Amino acid sequence: MRLVALSGSLRRDSHNSALARIAAGLAPGDVEVEVFEGLGEVEPYDQDLDTPFAPPGAAAFRDALERADAVIIATPEYNSSIPGQLKNALDWASRPLGDSALTGLPVAVIGASTSRFGAVWAQADLRKILGASGARVVDGELAIAQADDAIAEGSRLRDPKASDALRRIVEAVVAEGAAHLQALAA
């Protein structure tokens, strides 16, 4: 079972990158975990370049998702939606529709923001995009508000209730990923 965690933020000290790493650290010991850090390398989507030999950044993103049995995405909120670079990468991963790296893939959506709302609009948009792309969006929500105070030293959540909620989301996406893997093997 392979879990990929990624952040929709490119910022060096991103709260969402920290949240993705925290989530990855909660995976059971028998789960292989990859924290995908190549989002900034994904080229702008161009249908003319969308061939079996996609540009290297897009190909690396697709490959990470194709090797994954489950994914966790931590998204910030930019202008009440997801960051453009995350949307761009998902455009690459969603092709061809119905037979893409996202088709049937269990994905959990979480997010953090320095605001009081914890990127809830971005998370809603991301769920919509993933669902339209054929991913299986896992139930469970986690909106980390006022992330400057909520994430301690970039390595743990201060609020035990938020930590428990994140653990439940990781458990749910791992369970969905294991079921997805078994279905593919059958």
Side-chain angles (χ1 to χ4, degrees), residues 110-171:
I110 56 179
S113 171
T114 56
S115 77
R116 292 182 302 173
F117 302 108
V120 293
W121 287 353
Q123 289 181 60
D125 281 355
L126 183 52
R127 284 183 179 88
K128 179 179 76 173
I129 292 163
L130 290 165
S133 298
R136 192 170 60 216
V137 182
V138 175
D139 285 337
E141 296 187 15
L142 181 65
I144 302 297
Q146 299 174 322
D148 288 332
D149 295 323
I151 300 173
E153 297 90 36
S155 62
R156 66 177 180 81
L157 297 176
R158 290 186 195 275
D159 180 0
K161 289 181 183 177
S163 292
D164 289 344
L166 181 57
R167 184 177 313 282
R168 285 191 302 275
I169 289 169
V170 171
E171 289 170 354

Side-chain angles (χ1 to χ4, degrees), residues 11-135:
R11 190 170 65 86
R12 183 183 64 239
D13 296 324
S14 162
H15 299 302
N16 283 282
S17 295
L19 186 58
R21 287 189 301 273
I22 293 166
L26 295 174
D30 61 340
V31 173
E32 181 182 346
V33 177
E34 174 186 354
V35 177
F36 183 81
E37 295 182 353
L39 189 66
E41 305 304 316
V42 179
E43 299 81 3
Y45 182 77
D46 180 341
Q47 191 172 8
D48 291 336
L49 300 177
D50 191 358
T51 69
F53 306 101
F61 184 67
R62 277 183 177 164
D63 181 60
L65 295 184
E66 286 170 353
R67 291 182 292 112
D69 299 305
V71 176
I72 295 176
I73 302 176
T75 186
E77 188 166 285
Y78 295 175
N79 296 316
S80 301
S81 190
I82 68 171
Q85 187 64 12
L86 177 57
K87 174 65 167 76
N88 176 67
L90 292 172
D91 286 344
W92 279 107
S94 69
R95 308 286 196 287
L97 187 61
D99 188 30
S100 73
L102 290 170
T103 302
L105 184 64
V107 182
V109 175
I110 56 179
S113 171
T114 56
S115 77
R116 292 182 302 173
F117 302 108
V120 293
W121 287 353
Q123 289 181 60
D125 281 355
L126 183 52
R127 284 183 179 88
K128 179 179 76 173
I129 292 163
L130 290 165
S133 298

